Amino acid sequence: MPDPGHFDADPSGYEAGRPPYPDALWARLRALGVLRPGLRALDLGAGTGQATGPLLTAGLSVTAVEPGRRLARRLAERFPAVDLRVARTEDVELSPSGYDIAVAATSIHWMDLDVVLPRVREALAADGRFLVWRTEFGDPTASLTPFRERVGEIVGRRAPVVDVRRRGGTAELAQALTAGGLFAVEEIDVTRWSLDLDEAQVRALFATFSDWNEAEVAAAGDAVRDLGGTVREHYVTPLIVLRGT
Ligand SMILES: C[S@@+](CC[C@H](N)C(=O)[O-])C[C@H]1O[C@@H](n2cnc3c(N)ncnc32)[C@H](O)[C@@H]1O
């Protein structure tokens, strides 16, 4: 069973391996009016700052919550302006009504929603928004590429495991986020995007996946080499915009 500490073992690998979120996501957030200079953002599970950086660049002040000590150290090196809390969202101290937006970027599935949702609701201003997004590495609606066939073969060799983390689709996640009646969905926006990756980039990215082992990562890299050295990948980034009820 993977654990969230996986990311903390190699912060520079995480930073180098994960591609930035797509421009279309940031454009949607800008259109929603949540990237305005001066707004106060809470970045939950900030990692090495894939969301923190663009939030700061847009002129927001950012409080970042990150329990991984090594990740947090790297985040502070990269973004000294951030107000950093080395803690889990479940435990961190937050000022009531202290934030205009809360962000969980590819991190909500590591958190206990029963504990976290009331805390986020209390930390948000009355008209605040909770923005939950993640990148799904592999778009099930895109046509199957030779590389994705090879990925399917690698994953298909695994013994079946029971993973107790929330791994449902976006609709299921939206339901879980609203089930307690504290938040309502304002909109769900889905960005589909593509990226060309070479062998080294595939090795670096797949090594950041908490459910991939070293041999599997090596096999994915070998597949890229066999397929000519570069593969086009298709990804999906669903964004769930929530408002307090
Ligand atoms: C996949 S990474 C995402 C990092 C970053 N937000 C990004 O978009 O790349 C998940 C992050 O959630 C953090 N995390 C795990 N459990 C957490 C919790 N209970 N509260 C806050 N962060 C948590 C991990 O340490 C890790 O940095």
Side-chain angles (χ1 to χ4, degrees), residues 3-8 14 18-19 21 43-52 65-69 71 87-91 103-112 116 133-135 208:
D3 80 282
H6 161 89
F7 304 109
D8 202 42
Y14 185 88
R18 291 271 168 140
Y21 290 110
D43 184 4
L44 304 169
T48 55
Q50 297 282 59
T52 319
V65 178
E66 173 49 56
R69 293 195 167 277
L71 287 161
R88 301 184 323 145
T89 309
E90 290 85 337
D91 309 317
V103 166
T106 317
S107 59
I108 197 77
H109 53 292
W110 296 108
M111 299 176 205
D112 179 346
V116 163
W133 74 79
R134 62 178 169 179
T135 288
T208 69

Side-chain angles (χ1 to χ4, degrees), residues 51-232:
T52 319
L55 291 170
L56 287 169
T57 301
L60 286 81
S61 62
V62 181
T63 295
V65 178
E66 173 49 56
R69 293 195 167 277
R70 302 175 70 196
L71 287 161
R73 199 176 315 131
R74 181 66 193 133
L75 183 71
E77 280 166 14
R78 287 182 82 191
F79 306 112
V82 89
D83 167 24
L84 176 59
R85 315 280 168 90
V86 185
R88 301 184 323 145
T89 309
E90 290 85 337
D91 309 317
V92 69
E93 209 171 293
L94 300 168
S95 348
S97 309
Y99 303 93
D100 302 297
I101 63 168
V103 166
T106 317
S107 59
I108 197 77
H109 53 292
W110 296 108
M111 299 176 205
D112 179 346
L113 292 188
D114 291 339
V115 179
V116 163
L117 292 175
R119 307 190 101 238
V120 174
R121 181 72 188 83
E122 192 185 77
L124 278 174
D127 60 347
R129 264 115 144 209
F130 186 19
L131 308 157
V132 178
W133 74 79
R134 62 178 169 179
T135 288
E136 294 164 6
F137 294 95
D139 179 352
T141 68
S143 50
L144 190 63
T145 61
F147 177 63
R148 279 286 140 184
E149 274 180 43
R150 293 280 294 266
V151 167
E153 286 164 17
I154 296 165
V155 172
R157 288 196 283 270
R158 288 179 188 161
V161 288
V162 178
D163 188 343
V164 296
R165 281 173 301 153
R166 280 176 206 88
R167 271 295 178 132
T170 303
E172 196 182 328
L173 176 59
Q175 205 174 5
L177 291 166
T178 53
L182 295 172
F183 288 98
V185 172
E186 183 176 307
E187 73 166 57
I188 295 179
D189 185 78
V190 178
T191 300
R192 296 185 188 281
W193 51 295
S194 302
L195 191 65
D196 291 334
L197 297 174
D198 64 20
E199 182 184 335
Q201 288 169 316
V202 161
R203 286 178 194 273
L205 172 59
F206 281 56
T208 69
F209 298 157
S210 57
D211 49 354
W212 278 64
N213 67 34
E214 255 179 64
E216 291 171 340
V217 171
D222 292 349
V224 180
R225 194 193 49 216
D226 297 347
L227 292 166
T230 307
V231 291
R232 172 148 300 180

